Amino acid sequence: MAWKQKLYPNLDGDPNNPLYIWQGGQILTDWYGWCLAVVAGSYGASGSSYSAKTAWQSCPTKHADRDLPQKIYVPLWYAGGDYGHVVIGYRDGNFLSVWSSPYTHKATFQYFEGDMNWLLDYIGQVYGVGGFSGWSETVLDSRVIEWLEAQTPKPEPTPEPEPEPEPEPEPEPSEPIDNNDGKDNMAEPEPTHQDQQLIGGIIDEAGENSEWTPSRTAKMVAYLVGDFFLCAGLLVPSIISMINSENPQMFGEYLAKALLELGTCILMVFKLIKKK
């Protein structure tokens, strides 16, 4: 909490901005005896009063003490004598500077400085207006200083946590693309029950005798010829599927199947020959 200057006085110290005191529509060429007009004109205050004494008596913001604000230009009042007196004071610690209407005939400020308590009493003696009455926040109808409450800094808002990203949906399995118009999806041919019985019978009969005779040789030839046609019958579907396959993968599968069947047939033939 602290006082803040709202209206700064013109202390007639800037040659480019001289202070002119108006009274009765004219500029005063002699400030002697016009303390209230000089202080009000310096602040640019509005309003009027008969004298400094009556202005102090009707002031709504007066402080009847010596606790002057620090480093603030404030009106200082004296209510003694017939008209009282008012000046502008600036306190810095216990050091006080004062600008007053002159006690001689001239159109400039009378400047004083010194220890605050001593100077407040000394000015009252110089102007014959008694002891110091107090200070105020206003001059006539204008506020020259104001009290500011300390502003508590607002806490910064807690940042909201960022939402967790939603998991990406798993891609749906795409249907396999059929580029072969169904040609590569033909079911693998399996040997029929009849073929299995025939091959089993050949193996059983081949194991009955172990001596080579003309009848046995004719039977072996018949077995081999029949086995050849049997192997051909097993291989032909795979070979045809392999030839018609447009997919390299299916072609390889049919080729492997055909080679597997051919190897099986050859192995079976050699086993029969060994037994016969």
Side-chain angles (χ1 to χ4, degrees), residues 67-144:
D67 188 17
L68 309 183
Q70 290 280 357
K71 298 183 179 181
I72 294 289
Y73 296 95
V74 294
L76 307 180
W77 302 85
Y78 297 82
D82 293 334
Y83 304 103
H85 191 57
V86 61
V87 300
I88 298 172
Y90 183 88
R91 176 185 179 184
D92 186 358
N94 288 324
F95 186 84
L96 181 64
S97 299
V98 171
W99 292 262
S100 172
S101 61
Y103 53 77
T104 59
H105 297 280
K106 59 181 180 179
T108 58
F109 277 113
Q110 195 75 47
Y111 177 73
F112 303 89
E113 64 179 23
D115 176 77
M116 182 181 69
N117 289 313
W118 170 83
L119 187 55
L120 290 176
D121 296 332
Y122 176 74
I123 290 175
Q125 296 173 7
V126 170
Y127 288 89
V129 288
F132 176 68
S133 298
W135 57 278
S136 67
E137 304 169 25
T138 56
V139 174
L140 299 177
D141 298 334
S142 299
R143 176 170 288 276
V144 297

Side-chain angles (χ1 to χ4, degrees), residues 227-228 230-236 238-239 254-270:
D227 192 52
F228 172 77
L230 179 61
C231 292
L234 293 174
L235 293 174
V236 166
S238 297
I239 294 173
Y254 282 119
L255 176 60
K257 186 175 182 297
L259 294 176
L260 179 63
E261 292 174 348
L262 179 60
T264 302
C265 292
I266 293 175
L267 181 62
M268 182 180 64
V269 169
F270 277 100

Side-chain angles (χ1 to χ4, degrees), residues 185-204:
N185 298 327
M186 299 173 60
E188 297 181 4
E190 298 181 358
T192 62
H193 181 67
Q194 184 178 358
D195 295 335
Q196 293 176 352
Q197 287 182 344
L198 179 59
I199 295 173
I202 293 173
I203 295 175
D204 292 340

Side-chain angles (χ1 to χ4, degrees), residues 20-77:
Y20 297 104
I21 304 301
W22 292 79
Q23 187 66 27
Q26 295 180 349
I27 297 176
L28 291 179
T29 58
D30 185 357
W31 293 0
Y32 177 79
W34 295 98
C35 62
L36 181 59
V38 169
V39 172
S42 177
Y43 278 111
S46 61
S48 63
S49 184
Y50 177 71
S51 65
K53 185 175 183 176
T54 57
W56 167 253
Q57 292 172 347
S58 62
C59 179
T61 62
K62 57 187 176 183
H63 298 261
D65 56 56
R66 297 194 176 199
D67 188 17
L68 309 183
Q70 290 280 357
K71 298 183 179 181
I72 294 289
Y73 296 95
V74 294
L76 307 180
W77 302 85

